[in-house]
Amino acid sequence: MEFRGIMGGFYRISEWIMRLSVINVLWIICGIPFFLLGLILMQAQTTEQVLQTFLLMAIVSPFTLFPSTAAMFAVARKWLTGEEDTPLFKTFFRGYKENFVQSMLGGIIYMLLAVILYTNFRFYGNQSGSFGILRFLVMSLSVLADDFFVSLFLDHVPSSHEAVSNRQECAADYNRESGAIVIYDRSERRSDLHQL
């Protein structure tokens, strides 16, 4: 049922609020170990406790936070491509399952980069003179590396399911007359062969 006017606007806004709320609750549920460690971090009283909790969060996040974030982006990608009526739970957990290994490996690499950048920041932060200036350079490079890494792994790498389905749908053929290799869609090729 399509509402028009002000009620239609309120309906669409409330529907988007509900969708965003559900997807955020799913994200938090799938990242519960990370968020529980965040609560423990708030209760830490010494620097040693803070560092230990950060270390545990860095270990847990590639296995919980990164896959749930990838699943959240999979649902958001569906919404942006116009598939607004897709089931939230099914799409979220399908995205979680399909992108788990990729997002886990990306999370491990991301955490290793974060540890290296943190170590460099701590080292150059304790230096005096011209080495102190390098601290700001390290921070600038960390922001650039973060932006590059996120755009590389989240935007441009297809999930394993998409790569397999794309591989199954196309094929190549060698044209002897022209000496060229022709790449075509298998479904189109089958329809062309049936017409002959």
Side-chain angles (χ1 to χ4, degrees):
M1 178 162 61
E2 184 69 28
F3 293 108
R4 298 181 187 269
I6 292 177
M7 290 308 292
F10 284 140
Y11 179 75
R12 283 190 293 278
I13 289 171
S14 64
E15 188 177 28
W16 275 102
I17 289 171
M18 187 274 308
R19 287 179 185 169
L20 292 173
S21 299
V22 169
I23 197 170
N24 280 308
V25 166
L26 288 172
W27 180 70
I28 289 171
I29 288 172
C30 290
I32 280 180
F34 180 81
F35 294 115
L36 287 177
L37 286 171
L39 290 175
I40 293 171
L41 178 66
M42 286 189 223
Q43 300 297 321
Q45 296 179 2
T46 64
T47 306
E48 185 177 323
Q49 289 175 344
V50 170
L51 290 176
Q52 288 174 352
T53 307
F54 271 137
L55 179 64
L56 286 174
M57 289 174 78
I59 291 171
V60 168
S61 65
F63 304 104
T64 59
L65 187 68
F66 284 92
S68 63
T69 304
M72 182 177 64
F73 283 130
V75 174
R77 188 179 321 124
K78 291 277 188 188
W79 291 342
L80 291 174
T81 58
E83 300 176 41
E84 295 177 359
D85 294 332
T86 58
L88 291 176
F89 289 97
K90 184 177 179 182
T91 308
F92 183 87
F93 287 111
R94 185 183 314 133
Y96 192 92
K97 181 180 175 184
E98 289 175 356
N99 298 318
F100 183 80
V101 173
Q102 176 187 358
S103 60
M104 181 190 64
L105 293 175
I108 290 171
I109 293 169
Y110 190 68
M111 285 297 112
L112 288 175
L113 283 173
V115 166
I116 290 169
L117 290 172
Y118 175 75
T119 306
N120 285 338
F121 182 73
R122 293 285 293 192
F123 174 75
Y124 290 122
N126 293 332
Q127 301 294 324
S128 61
S130 62
F131 282 113
I133 296 172
L134 288 176
R135 180 162 94 177
F136 297 108
L137 180 63
V138 167
M139 287 302 291
S140 301
L141 289 176
S142 68
V143 170
L144 290 174
D146 180 42
D147 186 39
F148 174 74
F149 182 79
V150 168
S151 66
L152 177 69
F153 280 96
L154 293 180
D155 295 339
H156 301 296
V157 179
S159 68
S160 58
H161 176 70
E162 291 171 346
V164 169
S165 65
N166 288 341
R167 202 173 324 135
Q168 292 173 347
E169 293 174 358
C170 65
D173 194 9
Y174 178 71
N175 188 342
R176 293 183 185 180
E177 295 171 2
S178 65
I181 296 175
V182 180
I183 298 175
Y184 59 90
D185 185 13
R186 285 185 181 175
S187 60
E188 292 175 6
R189 180 69 172 187
R190 279 190 223 113
S191 64
D192 291 342
L193 291 176
H194 289 300
Q195 291 175 356
L196 295 176

